[in-house]
Amino acid sequence: MTSTDAAELKAGEIYRSSIEAGVKGTGLGIGSGAKGAAGTRYYRVDLDGSSDTYVSAVAVPKVGADVKVAFNDSISVTLQDRQGNRCDSEVAAFRSAEYPRPIAATAERVVREGGGRCQDAGTYYVVVARKTAPDSTRERWDLELSVSSEPALKSPSATTGPGAWPSASPRPPAGIPSERRGGTGFNDAQSLRQGVWKDRIRPGQTLFYRVPLDWGQQLFTEAELGTSAGDAHRTGFVPSALSVALYNPARTQVTSKDASYGGEPSVAALDSLPPVAYENRYLSRADEAGVRFAGWYYLKLSLTPEMKGTFGNKESGLTLRLTVQGDAASAPAYVRDPGAFQVTDADRAAAESGAAQGGDSSLPSTGGQGGGQAAQGGSGRVNRMTVVGIAGIGTGSVLVLGLGVWTYVARRRASAGW
């Protein structure tokens, strides 16, 4: 597939595609010069000259004991203009945990006064590239693609971040936890509100939740990995057993934290972040800049497969303690509806009732480019799954599977600042 044949992606929709393995050891990544060959996929987006745009790709390898991935096997997303100038790029790799699981990367086009490249309206290309080691399994990976557009403001805002914000963590909520089952990916993440929630997780499994955060609100998260039956009779220690990561509404990772496990309950608490504010994008720290718009924030909890060898292939108890602090503040004066970058009454109702996003995440392929399925999410918004590019996603397949830990995202930003 070449840029000439690139399928169109539109803001506000979710797409499914697939990607082949690249040339052994290279993956035909950006700069290889081998455009259109296996391992590289092209899509196009038509952008205006005022909105910020975020393009994310979730790569889903097949799961199984015979599936092998290597340290540097990766997926990359690059946004570039028609002259080949790079607007932004990000790489997600498996790194030290070499087992198949979803990995995700996001590229963005940010419009700023004096911003230089990629500021004009027009057609841009999204290049998704897969890097594959010589000994890795070479089957296709499924892809989930999404595009989000944040409109401009009616009048310019401050260009500096908040000078101070409340960083002290409140006492975690107490009480008997209520049960809510986590989803398998972004598209079917389980909705949560402030409170205490419980679930169960197996070695190698990843669970997804989402919490609505409005302007002016802060999220404080604690995840506790409990014991399993028989743990007291086993000895051992598993470093980084539980991984917790927070993603913003653009599906960009904000922060993460790990917790080790030695047979007793263990807690991973995310670091404090500032209240959601438009001006946060001007803060120097990436995690603080990540909480720059309202909407659904996603929590990804993963249990390493190493738990199986030390403590057995058993479910462990999982407790989430969530605190949403602060009253909802007024939204920035956008020139149009901000789409995903807001909290609606329907979003609050979904968090209260526990409605999962997107309904059934097992959406069948329609067999070719341009076909599509729409699922009504608990938020009241329609999550559209449209097949683009090469066929090859099995009918009835689950697009984003709970295969394991998304562990490492190596950010390679084309320009400084957000």
Side-chain angles (χ1 to χ4, degrees):
M1 182 184 184
T2 67
S3 59
T4 305
D5 306 313
E8 183 182 9
L9 306 179
K10 295 183 178 181
E13 298 196 16
I14 302 173
Y15 298 85
R16 55 186 301 187
S17 188
S18 63
I19 190 168
E20 297 173 309
V23 175
K24 291 185 177 181
T26 69
L28 299 179
I30 303 304
S32 67
K35 294 184 177 180
T40 305
R41 306 281 294 152
Y42 285 85
Y43 309 91
R44 65 180 176 86
V45 291
D46 291 328
L47 306 183
D48 62 26
S50 61
S51 300
D52 293 347
T53 301
Y54 309 87
V55 182
S56 73
V58 182
V60 187
K62 293 184 182 298
V63 66
D66 59 340
V67 179
K68 182 180 179 181
V69 294
F71 181 90
N72 281 328
D73 284 0
S74 64
I75 199 79
S76 67
V77 180
T78 298
L79 187 63
Q80 62 186 42
D81 64 20
R82 289 186 295 116
Q83 286 72 45
N85 297 312
R86 183 182 301 188
C87 311
D88 189 34
S89 183
E90 184 176 71
V91 179
F94 293 104
R95 299 301 178 185
S96 58
E98 298 178 8
Y99 64 95
R101 62 206 185 275
I103 52 177
T106 304
E108 62 188 40
R109 192 286 297 264
V110 176
V111 178
R112 293 289 180 269
E113 184 177 352
R117 294 176 298 175
C118 304
Q119 300 294 294
D120 297 333
T123 297
Y124 289 77
Y125 291 106
V126 178
V127 187
V128 181
R130 173 182 170 185
K131 181 179 179 180
T132 308
D135 296 332
S136 296
T137 304
R138 309 190 64 76
E139 293 184 71
R140 284 181 182 272
W141 291 353
D142 288 351
L143 292 176
E144 177 180 333
L145 307 166
S146 67
V147 181
S148 302
S149 177
E150 183 187 20
L153 299 181
K154 293 180 180 179
S155 59
S157 70
T159 56
T160 57
W165 48 272
S167 59
S169 297
R171 184 186 300 273
I176 300 174
S178 300
E179 185 171 2
R180 287 192 183 175
R181 184 63 179 163
T184 59
F186 287 102
N187 201 51
D188 69 341
Q190 172 67 61
S191 302
L192 299 175
R193 56 169 172 78
Q194 175 172 293
V196 186
W197 310 98
K198 67 178 180 179
D199 205 341
R200 302 198 67 80
I201 189 169
R202 283 188 174 277
Q205 188 176 21
T206 298
L207 300 174
F208 287 80
Y209 310 86
R210 61 177 189 161
V211 184
L213 275 188
D214 216 331
W215 301 103
Q217 294 185 324
Q218 288 176 282
L219 176 65
F220 297 89
T221 302
E222 284 193 2
E224 178 183 315
L225 181 64
T227 59
S228 295
D231 283 0
H233 303 290
R234 290 175 175 259
T235 58
F237 179 80
V238 180
S240 301
L242 180 68
S243 174
V244 182
L246 177 70
Y247 292 78
N248 67 25
R251 300 187 178 187
T252 300
Q253 183 171 315
V254 176
T255 188
S256 64
K257 186 74 71 173
D258 294 341
S260 301
Y261 186 76
E264 298 295 332
S266 183
V267 174
L270 295 182
D271 292 339
S272 298
L273 294 168
V276 174
Y278 187 91
E279 293 77 15
N280 287 344
R281 65 196 64 207
Y282 302 111
L283 293 171
S284 58
R285 283 181 44 173
D287 57 346
E288 296 176 358
V291 286
R292 52 179 165 172
F293 23 53
W296 287 105
Y297 280 74
Y298 296 87
L299 287 165
K300 177 210 64 180
L301 281 76
S302 306
L303 191 62
T304 176
E306 295 180 12
M307 286 284 290
K308 180 178 179 180
T310 306
F311 292 97
N313 189 23
K314 303 171 297 183
E315 287 187 331
S316 295
L318 189 64
T319 304
L320 271 173
R321 294 180 174 88
L322 305 178
T323 302
V324 177
Q325 187 165 274
D327 296 328
S330 298
Y334 287 114
V335 297
R336 58 173 171 81
D337 187 286
F341 303 121
Q342 63 182 319
V343 176
T344 66
D345 289 341
D347 294 334
R348 298 183 187 92
E352 187 69 30
S353 65
Q357 177 174 338
D360 183 4
S361 67
S362 180
L363 297 177
S365 168
T366 56
Q369 179 177 335
Q373 293 280 337
Q376 185 68 37
S379 66
R381 301 171 191 160
V382 173
N383 298 316
R384 186 171 301 279
M385 214 41 115
T386 303
V387 178
V388 291
I390 297 175
I393 301 175
T395 300
S397 63
V398 175
L399 183 62
V400 182
L401 305 175
L403 302 183
V405 185
W406 303 8
T407 53
Y408 182 89
V409 177
R411 306 193 63 82
R412 298 195 307 185
R413 290 296 178 202
S415 58
W418 290 63

